[in-house]
Amino acid sequence: MNAAHSAHEILDIMLRHLGYSVTIEMDEDPSGPSLHVRMEKPESLIGRKGERLDDLQHLVNKLLRQKFPEAPRVRLDVENFRHQEIGRFLDAIRKLAAEVQSTGQPVKLDPMNSYERRLVHNLFKDDPHIRSWSPEDAGRLKRITLLLR
């Protein structure tokens, strides 16, 4: 059994023991495996602002790494919550970029984790007007600055 299938099994067992009736779909793409949970009343697994989903993802990855130390990080989503959150996040970043373009003044974004920073940097990597910059430091949360090219 490979790591992705093991992650699917771990999540399925955890959720069944907690009394949830779910369907779990698995996707594998270049950025790593993803597990998508389908269920009625997804709020109970998502939590407020996705905290429970983050915790569940952390537990699945922790258990997976006990069995497969080199396993890629598995992403969890419940009823497309993360996908929708990413869309809202990037829309807000695009609005700030439009502000930078219209005023010419740089905008410093709120501190972000590495995944969010990667999303922002990828959003502007080919943009002819805006570039993103973040400082080189060891901190977990860093602030990106949006600038004119």
Side-chain angles (χ1 to χ4, degrees), residues 12-70:
D12 186 50
I13 290 169
M14 285 173 65
L15 295 178
R16 275 190 288 124
H17 280 294
L18 291 170
Y20 289 101
S21 175
V22 301
T23 301
I24 302 170
E25 300 165 2
M26 185 171 52
D27 286 336
E28 293 222 36
D29 59 41
S31 63
S34 297
L35 297 175
H36 302 278
V37 178
R38 306 284 181 226
M39 62 185 291
E40 289 185 32
K41 299 184 181 178
E43 309 80 34
S44 62
L45 274 187
I46 294 169
R48 197 170 152 261
K49 296 185 180 181
E51 293 96 353
R52 284 190 194 140
L53 181 55
D54 290 342
D55 293 343
L56 185 60
Q57 178 174 290
H58 177 76
L59 284 172
V60 168
N61 279 294
K62 193 96 169 153
L63 291 169
L64 180 64
R65 291 235 166 89
Q66 286 179 346
K67 190 172 182 179
F68 297 96
E70 301 300 316

Side-chain angles (χ1 to χ4, degrees):
M1 177 181 294
N2 70 17
H5 284 72
S6 186
H8 183 284
E9 183 179 313
I10 289 167
L11 180 61
D12 186 50
I13 290 169
M14 285 173 65
L15 295 178
R16 275 190 288 124
H17 280 294
L18 291 170
Y20 289 101
S21 175
V22 301
T23 301
I24 302 170
E25 300 165 2
M26 185 171 52
D27 286 336
E28 293 222 36
D29 59 41
S31 63
S34 297
L35 297 175
H36 302 278
V37 178
R38 306 284 181 226
M39 62 185 291
E40 289 185 32
K41 299 184 181 178
E43 309 80 34
S44 62
L45 274 187
I46 294 169
R48 197 170 152 261
K49 296 185 180 181
E51 293 96 353
R52 284 190 194 140
L53 181 55
D54 290 342
D55 293 343
L56 185 60
Q57 178 174 290
H58 177 76
L59 284 172
V60 168
N61 279 294
K62 193 96 169 153
L63 291 169
L64 180 64
R65 291 235 166 89
Q66 286 179 346
K67 190 172 182 179
F68 297 96
E70 301 300 316
R73 186 168 157 77
V74 175
R75 288 181 318 271
L76 299 185
D77 199 356
V78 175
E79 292 295 335
N80 290 317
F81 172 79
R82 286 204 199 276
H83 182 75
Q84 292 167 1
E85 284 293 302
I86 289 168
R88 285 190 280 275
F89 171 74
L90 292 177
D91 286 346
I93 299 298
R94 284 184 191 99
K95 286 179 185 172
L96 292 170
E99 181 182 313
V100 170
Q101 194 168 348
S102 69
T103 66
Q105 297 298 309
V107 170
K108 202 172 211 180
L109 305 177
D110 290 335
M112 293 178 229
N113 63 37
S114 62
Y115 178 71
E116 293 167 332
R117 289 192 312 271
R118 189 170 34 254
L119 290 172
V120 172
H121 288 308
N122 283 335
L123 182 63
F124 296 110
K125 71 180 181 183
D126 296 324
D127 191 291
H129 307 288
I130 303 292
R131 67 185 178 95
S132 59
W133 175 82
S134 61
E136 295 290 327
D137 67 29
R140 190 177 76 77
L141 298 177
K142 297 180 190 173
R143 295 180 75 152
I144 290 179
T145 302
L146 299 180
L147 308 145
L148 285 178
R149 277 204 191 266

